[in-house]
Amino acid sequence: MNALMWIAQLILGITFLITGFSKIFAYKHLSKLVEARTKGHPIGIPGRQAAVIGVGEVFWGLLVINPFQLSYPYLLPLVGSACVGLEMIGATYYHMRRKEPAGPSIALCLLAMFVIVGRWPWWG
């Protein structure tokens, strides 16, 4: 079960590191691609807000895959997964409001909940 949890944590962590860095460093290019795909509808998130979201995603992605052992070794993955899950709930609402597919956001939220349940101190 521990190997499965690490695989799930690595998928979450790497996904959020990639999306976070892309929001920080390539947001203008990505927003042009999204606007072209949605027939000119503006993306609705200013660049600075996207950069703040990207910094949060990078931080939470690092928390999810953090191998450091504290006095409570389950705490960092739980906090990171909870933040990722909450962000994915917001992303699902955002994509549904824009009438875009929300499947990836829902899948990442479910994966974050899987990590939370698997790393909970009484079950893991």
Side-chain angles (χ1 to χ4, degrees):
M1 185 69 168
N2 191 36
L4 185 62
M5 296 310 307
W6 272 107
I7 290 170
Q9 285 176 239
L10 285 173
I11 290 170
L12 271 178
I14 291 170
T15 300
F16 277 88
L17 286 173
I18 290 170
T19 58
F21 280 126
S22 67
K23 284 179 182 147
I24 294 170
F25 296 114
Y27 182 71
K28 289 183 182 181
H29 178 66
L30 290 174
S31 64
K32 288 178 185 176
L33 289 175
V34 170
E35 289 174 3
R37 190 181 70 210
T38 58
K39 299 177 182 130
H41 289 57
I43 199 161
I45 298 176
R48 290 183 187 216
Q49 185 179 1
V52 169
I53 293 170
V55 169
E57 287 181 355
V58 169
F59 181 69
W60 299 325
L62 289 173
L63 280 181
V64 170
I65 59 175
N66 191 358
F68 295 119
Q69 295 292 325
L70 299 173
S71 57
Y72 300 105
Y74 54 84
L75 186 62
L76 292 179
L78 280 177
V79 170
S81 298
C83 291
V84 164
L86 288 173
E87 182 186 2
M88 287 299 99
I89 290 171
T92 300
Y93 173 73
Y94 171 79
H95 288 295
M96 289 175 65
R97 191 183 68 195
R98 286 180 51 93
K99 296 180 176 63
E100 296 176 346
S105 300
I106 294 170
L108 287 171
C109 184
L110 291 174
L111 189 62
M113 286 194 287
F114 175 72
V115 171
I116 290 170
V117 170
R119 290 292 183 199
W120 198 258
W122 297 293
W123 294 313

